[in-house]
Amino acid sequence: MSSDRPTLDPEPLSAWGDGLMRPLLIAGPCSAESEAQVLSTAHGIVKCAPNVRVFRAGVWKPRTRPGAFEGAGKQALAWLQRVKLETGLLTATEVATPEHVEACLLHGIDVLWIGARTTPNPFSVQAIADALRGVDIPVMVKNPISPDLQLWIGALERLHRAGIRKLAAVHRGFSWSGSTPYRNSPMWEFPIRLAAAYPELPLLCDPSHIAGKPGKLHEVAQKALDLNFSGLMVETHHAPAAALSDADQQISPENLKGLLASLSFRVASPDALLRDRLEELRDQIDQLDADIAQKLGARMDLSERIGEYKRDHNVAILQPERWERIMNLQAELGGKLGLGTDFIEAFMNAIHQESIRRQTEAWDQHTEGSEGSPSFNTRRLQDPH
Ligand code: PEP
Ligand code: MN
């Protein structure tokens, strides 16, 4: 990471002008569907949430499967122009090609963002960056859909090299096949590592795409604010249930008002501004340590369940190849993250021991007072999972 550090020298949000400042609040529908929907949503936002500065709407929607609503396209840029004229809100949309960039610049769109499906493609990002050479416009880069910090940084670098200084990163969570209560797993360690490497880079959170449902928006947005994020992008629609994309996660302007009122924003008091950098880094470490403890707890709960399963099914015992596979995977992952082999080995061995202790405990609780099976008892301690 240290070799990546000097590659970005973004302008701090406070220097962006145009009323863009911390906390930067962005709201608007997932997609621009019709002129009436766009305008009604924008007016609702201005009325209910006057602190929102930027109106977002996807003009071209990258859909995972063909056949879904792909946005109204170029015609919607004129609707955004009308939003600006009638409400004074700045406008933002997603660009994925140089043609999108060109059309946005022609229509005076104020802020561009690169979506999670485009960020990981260096060709696309480079083409967008080339189209932006010499243009002074804020560009926000969403994290790639897979948890890869280097791809996120690489996209930011390409824009930076093309001369874009008003750069921001947007955390929208990561695709994750494991079970998660979120639509996209937040994996907070990634934005935290990005912020630690580039403290000047404004970091925003898109709680809508992380949460996937209104009920979890508050939790995600508050966590981002507690982690010192500079702002939020919240999908807001005048009639969420009728939305043509992401209907499950959008909220009405009235509910946006409630959400914003329920959040505690960090006060930009002189004290807060003078806050020692060391203290800030320590806060981030505390947050990561808490995340690690929670993940370890969840891991041990799983070990216990595996122990119960083995106990109940009298399942085969020694599985050294399973443990070897875990160790190899962790050594490979750790190596990529710059963690020493000895550290990984000691860490995983400690986890293994605790895991066995939990399995043994589950076993003993079950067999207490009964005669049990001596063969089970000798088996269980050797079992790596
Ligand atoms: C969006 O903002 O509507 C969107 C498509 O987001 P993402 O690129 O984060 O999936
Ligand atoms: Mn969306």
Side-chain angles (χ1 to χ4, degrees):
M1 178 64 60
S2 55
S3 62
D4 294 322
R5 211 163 293 169
T7 56
L8 289 184
D9 174 28
E11 265 182 41
L13 189 53
S14 55
W16 283 22
D18 244 350
L20 295 163
M21 61 178 96
R22 183 193 172 100
L24 180 53
L25 299 178
I26 303 171
C30 176
S31 322
E33 301 167 6
S34 69
E35 185 163 30
Q37 169 252 3
V38 165
L39 286 170
S40 154
T41 304
H43 283 290
I45 289 172
V46 170
K47 182 164 155 252
C48 296
N51 292 335
V52 169
R53 180 68 192 120
V54 183
F55 181 77
R56 65 145 285 158
V59 165
W60 302 276
K61 299 301 298 173
R63 305 316 300 267
T64 304
R65 306 273 309 274
F69 177 63
E70 294 187 334
K74 217 167 165 180
Q75 56 172 333
L77 294 171
W79 309 340
L80 292 183
Q81 277 182 310
R82 226 181 125 185
V83 165
K84 187 172 180 180
L85 206 66
E86 290 184 16
T87 66
L89 287 167
L90 299 183
T91 55
T93 199
E94 172 174 347
V95 289
T97 67
E99 292 74 31
H100 294 165
V101 170
E102 201 181 316
C104 286
L105 296 178
L106 268 175
H107 287 81
I109 302 301
D110 301 288
V111 178
L112 306 178
W113 84 79
I114 296 186
R117 288 159 194 77
T118 305
T119 302
N121 185 331
F123 292 126
S124 300
V125 176
Q126 191 57 53
I128 292 168
D130 290 341
L132 283 168
R133 215 170 275 279
V135 182
D136 181 24
I137 189 170
V139 183
M140 308 185 294
V141 180
K142 290 196 167 197
N143 64 260
I145 44 177
S146 56
D148 186 326
L149 189 59
Q150 295 305 314
L151 278 173
W152 201 0
I153 292 172
L156 288 158
E157 280 175 338
R158 286 178 196 281
L159 291 157
H160 191 268
R161 286 185 181 196
I164 298 293
R165 289 292 175 275
K166 289 172 185 152
L167 267 181
V170 181
H171 175 43
R172 48 77 78 201
F174 299 93
S175 287
W176 179 244
S177 55
S179 85
T180 160
Y182 306 98
R183 177 179 176 196
N184 288 300
S185 172
M187 301 188 192
W188 294 103
E189 57 274 27
F190 286 89
I192 287 173
R193 285 172 62 207
L194 187 70
Y198 306 105
E200 292 296 334
L201 180 72
L203 177 60
L204 310 178
C205 179
D206 166 351
S208 304
H209 286 88
I210 293 178
K213 49 181 178 268
K216 286 198 93 56
L217 277 179
H218 172 88
E219 173 210 313
V220 175
Q222 188 60 60
K223 170 115 178 178
L225 295 175
D226 292 347
L227 285 171
N228 210 18
F229 278 52
S230 298
L232 302 170
M233 182 197 267
V234 183
E235 282 194 342
T236 308
H237 191 291
H238 75 134
L244 298 182
S245 62
D246 286 352
D248 291 347
Q249 71 196 26
Q250 302 200 61
I251 55 173
S252 65
E254 290 74 20
N255 288 343
L256 175 67
K257 178 182 181 176
L259 172 71
L260 294 177
S262 74
L263 293 170
S264 333
F265 288 85
R266 277 174 180 272
V267 185
S269 68
D271 272 2
L273 291 176
L274 290 177
R275 231 162 81 96
D276 189 10
R277 174 91 185 108
L278 182 62
E279 204 184 307
E280 212 168 280
L281 291 172
R282 283 182 174 150
D283 275 0
Q284 291 179 3
I285 291 228
D286 289 350
Q287 188 61 52
L288 276 182
D289 284 347
D291 285 353
I292 290 171
Q294 273 186 7
K295 290 208 162 136
L296 283 175
R299 192 193 190 286
M300 293 309 158
D301 288 345
L302 278 179
S303 293
E304 201 170 299
R305 277 171 46 200
I306 287 179
E308 285 162 6
Y309 181 90
K310 285 176 179 167
R311 177 196 69 207
D312 294 345
H313 294 84
N314 191 16
V315 159
I317 332 132
L318 196 59
Q319 300 166 351
E321 70 290 346
R322 162 83 180 132
W323 183 242
E324 202 182 316
R325 206 164 64 82
I326 291 179
M327 278 298 222
N328 288 341
L329 280 173
Q330 288 303 101
E332 196 187 324
L333 183 63
K336 282 187 191 151
L337 296 170
L339 303 171
T341 322
D342 290 351
F343 167 72
I344 295 283
E345 206 174 306
F347 182 69
M348 291 310 294
N349 277 332
I351 287 184
H352 188 209
Q353 271 176 32
E354 176 64 3
S355 175
I356 286 180
R357 188 186 70 78
R358 286 284 289 269
Q359 291 197 18
T360 310
E361 223 171 63
W363 194 287
D364 288 346
Q365 271 165 16
H366 177 80
T367 51
E368 239 161 50
S370 76
E371 293 198 356
S373 151
S375 60
F376 277 17
N377 286 334
T378 49
R379 282 170 176 186
R380 71 182 194 230
L381 284 175
Q382 304 163 18
D383 197 335
H385 292 290

